[in-house]
Amino acid sequence: MSRAGKTIWLIGASEGLGRALADRLAQEGAHLILSARNGDRLQELAQSLPNAQVHPVDVTDLEAVRRVAAVIGDVDSVIYNAGAYEPMRATEWDSAAALTMADVNFTGALRVLGEVVPRMLAKGQGEITLVGSLAGYRGLPAAIGYGASKAALVSLAETMRHDLKGTGVVVRLVNPGFIRTRLTAKNTFAMPMLMSPEKAADHVMRALGRRRFRSDFPIPFSWAIRAFALLPDWLVYRGR
């Protein structure tokens, strides 16, 4: 599916996967609207791309989201890649960090989609891609805030896929595993099949070229996570 000439609002574009995606989309001729909180990083990125606008936004601020959405107008596609992460166990609870993760990873998507979906429905066309995580499939250790917010995003995408069937608005969900970023650098445990942002962007680009709803990667790590999600509770929590 060609993205040449398409207007794509990429939210969470300043670092990691978002930055790599911006580069790949620009190479295919897309008109990019780049958003994140860090305006300086966005400007730096935009200077290296042939056709990009910068619109910094904090997705936790509804009025800020509305202002940017009003300025940019109709878009052909939105990719929600905004993310916050702090490794956290329930025994080391940090309410501020947990709420930030929930607000950026999930509630921020609701704010953006509330501005985008009605416009796409009015046109009878559009594409929405939500970047979830394999961590959203089952509760995992040290994932207070992050795992729950990604699980909510997965559920949101599934509901939207049902509700928007036949409207001309396509919904996709992409669930990466571990990506080498400033966020995963906080982890002190081994991360199976750790990917570079560029490799992860390859997977997302392939997903954008299909009408398939869900793309989990990398394989076979994603298969292992999905199999783990199907295990009975008595086995998962044995001895706990």
Side-chain angles (χ1 to χ4, degrees), residues 125-129 161 164 167-172 210-211:
Q125 63 182 17
E127 296 186 13
I128 295 166
T129 303
R161 182 72 172 197
L164 297 177
T167 65
V169 180
V170 176
V171 179
R172 295 187 189 86
R210 308 184 187 115
R211 294 187 70 85

Side-chain angles (χ1 to χ4, degrees), residues 51-122:
N51 198 343
Q53 305 174 39
V54 169
H55 290 277
V57 68
D58 180 351
V59 297
T60 69
D61 182 339
L62 178 58
E63 290 307 313
V65 171
R66 284 176 171 167
R67 284 194 298 271
V68 171
V71 169
I72 66 177
D74 290 343
V75 297
D76 298 300
S77 174
V78 60
I79 302 173
Y80 190 83
N81 179 59
Y85 172 69
E86 291 290 340
M88 186 193 309
R89 294 185 179 274
T91 53
E92 301 166 344
W93 201 285
D94 181 338
S95 289
L99 289 169
T100 295
M101 284 184 272
D103 211 8
V104 174
N105 298 345
F106 173 61
T107 316
L110 296 180
R111 295 185 183 95
V112 169
L113 294 171
E115 304 304 309
V116 170
V117 172
R119 293 181 181 182
M120 289 185 173
L121 286 173

Side-chain angles (χ1 to χ4, degrees), residues 218-239:
I219 296 170
F221 182 54
S222 61
W223 293 347
I225 291 293
R226 293 301 299 272
F228 180 63
L230 296 174
L231 292 177
D233 289 343
W234 67 263
L235 183 58
V236 173
Y237 303 116
R238 183 175 52 185

Side-chain angles (χ1 to χ4, degrees), residues 71-221:
V71 169
I72 66 177
D74 290 343
V75 297
D76 298 300
S77 174
V78 60
I79 302 173
Y80 190 83
N81 179 59
Y85 172 69
E86 291 290 340
M88 186 193 309
R89 294 185 179 274
T91 53
E92 301 166 344
W93 201 285
D94 181 338
S95 289
L99 289 169
T100 295
M101 284 184 272
D103 211 8
V104 174
N105 298 345
F106 173 61
T107 316
L110 296 180
R111 295 185 183 95
V112 169
L113 294 171
E115 304 304 309
V116 170
V117 172
R119 293 181 181 182
M120 289 185 173
L121 286 173
K123 292 193 304 178
Q125 63 182 17
E127 296 186 13
I128 295 166
T129 303
L130 301 179
V131 180
S133 170
L134 295 179
Y137 282 127
R138 180 113 202 188
L140 299 172
I144 292 294
Y146 185 77
S149 61
K150 289 298 187 177
L153 194 68
V154 169
S155 178
L156 172 64
E158 291 170 344
T159 297
M160 291 176 64
R161 182 72 172 197
H162 283 299
D163 291 349
L164 297 177
K165 181 180 179 180
T167 65
V169 180
V170 176
V171 179
R172 295 187 189 86
L173 171 67
V174 294
N175 291 314
F178 294 110
I179 304 173
R180 187 181 297 110
T181 66
R182 59 185 176 82
L183 298 181
T184 54
K186 300 174 183 179
N187 290 333
T188 57
F189 55 84
M191 292 176 278
M193 299 190 72
L194 180 66
M195 297 173 287
S196 68
E198 292 73 23
K199 183 66 174 177
D202 288 342
H203 285 282
V204 176
M205 291 298 291
R206 284 194 290 271
L208 293 176
R210 308 184 187 115
R211 294 187 70 85
R212 185 198 315 184
F213 168 58
R214 189 187 315 259
S215 297
D216 299 332
F217 58 90
I219 296 170
F221 182 54

